[in-house]
Amino acid sequence: MNIAVFVSGKGSNLEAILASAELKGLCDVSMVCSDKLDCPAFEIAKRYKIPFLSVCESEKDGFVTFNKLHQIFTEKEIGLIVLAGFLKLMPKEFVRAFPNKIINIHPALLPSFGGKGMYGIRVHEAVFRSSAKVSGATVHFVNEIYDEGLIIDQAAVSIEDVESPEEIAQRVLQLEHVLLPSVIVKFAQRKIEIKNNRVYLTKKS
Ligand code: GAR
């Protein structure tokens, strides 16, 4: 299965996907996309010799439009789009063109601490301020609203003893690097089913 990974930052989740032994032979990262022209994660794409490009809604120098990207993805037979630290909302038309084929990782236990403006360290600051005792990571299907698609899988960690949002970020990122590749594996193995508007991870071999 060919996958496209969307990034906005340093790309540690992209790197975790590329380094995953379980994903080898199952998935190929065929393209890396960003909303930025000089996204730090492009350095990882270069190292792995993966084509990368910058995308935005309207025509702009150095960017392709989402419309064009739709065409490219069809040609490349992209079976899954992974938002791995991509911080822009995708255009509705693009999301509708890939039903249940776009997943996102969020650095908290949704449906808490999500929504517009909740990304990166801001999420961990909100979790820290709340005095929550657990946090974690969520992988969910992407719909037209920030962080509101059906939840596919989650991982949690105790944060009882943390003294800063950065400490939460560190613990959650470690979970993300395991959770995201594992969901992609299940997707590629067709072990993710939607029934009665709930997501089930099937155990079939
Ligand atoms: C990750 O923690 C990811 O969960 C978060 O951005 C970080 C990207 O790190 N995404 C969001 O906050 C989306 N709402 P990375 O570039 O090192 O993978």
Side-chain angles (χ1 to χ4, degrees):
M1 188 182 69
N2 295 332
I3 71 176
V5 180
F6 281 64
V7 286
S8 296
K10 63 181 193 301
S12 70
N13 276 291
L14 167 66
E15 184 117 47
I17 294 166
L18 291 165
S20 161
E22 272 186 291
L23 276 170
K24 292 212 165 68
L26 202 56
C27 287
D28 258 338
V29 177
S30 311
M31 177 141 285
V32 172
C33 304
S34 178
D35 56 319
K36 307 229 162 58
L37 265 188
D38 49 3
C39 183
F42 283 164
E43 293 308 316
I44 300 170
K46 279 183 205 161
R47 214 178 336 116
Y48 281 85
K49 299 189 170 37
I50 300 165
F52 58 91
L53 48 79
S54 307
V55 62
C56 72
E57 284 202 51
S58 43
E59 306 266 345
K60 211 162 42 164
D61 267 3
F63 290 82
V64 300
T65 61
F66 275 95
N67 274 345
K68 177 74 187 163
L69 199 60
H70 182 183
Q71 203 182 315
I72 296 172
F73 282 4
T74 307
E75 281 159 19
K76 284 187 172 277
E77 299 183 337
I78 298 291
L80 177 68
I81 296 167
V82 179
L83 311 191
F86 184 68
L87 306 181
K88 273 269 155 70
L89 190 65
M90 289 182 143
K92 287 184 175 51
E93 303 69 38
F94 190 82
V95 172
R96 283 186 200 139
F98 298 96
N100 297 329
K101 284 198 172 142
I102 310 179
I103 63 172
N104 177 49
I105 183 142
H106 184 76
L109 294 172
L110 291 174
S112 295
F113 306 109
K116 194 168 167 27
M118 285 296 254
Y119 56 82
I121 196 68
R122 292 179 184 206
V123 178
H124 306 299
E125 283 165 355
V127 172
F128 187 75
R129 276 197 305 273
S130 76
S131 192
K133 300 296 176 260
V134 284
S135 192
T138 301
V139 178
H140 64 94
F141 283 114
V142 170
N143 66 14
E144 293 158 24
I145 306 165
Y146 269 114
D147 302 328
E148 284 209 0
L150 292 179
I151 292 171
I152 303 170
D153 206 0
Q154 294 181 299
V157 63
S158 167
I159 52 164
E160 260 177 86
D161 57 337
V162 294
E163 290 183 357
S164 68
E166 287 73 20
E167 244 181 287
I168 302 177
Q170 233 174 20
R171 288 187 196 180
V172 170
L173 199 60
Q174 279 181 2
L175 295 181
E176 292 183 45
H177 293 165
V178 178
L179 182 70
L180 186 55
S182 86
V183 170
I184 299 171
V185 166
K186 286 177 187 127
F187 188 96
Q189 293 173 332
R190 299 179 191 281
K191 286 185 177 168
I192 297 177
E193 274 178 46
I194 303 178
K195 263 192 309 195
N196 302 327
N197 216 33
R198 265 187 81 79
V199 177
Y200 292 88
L201 302 172
T202 60
K203 304 224 173 351
K204 70 180 179 217
S205 53

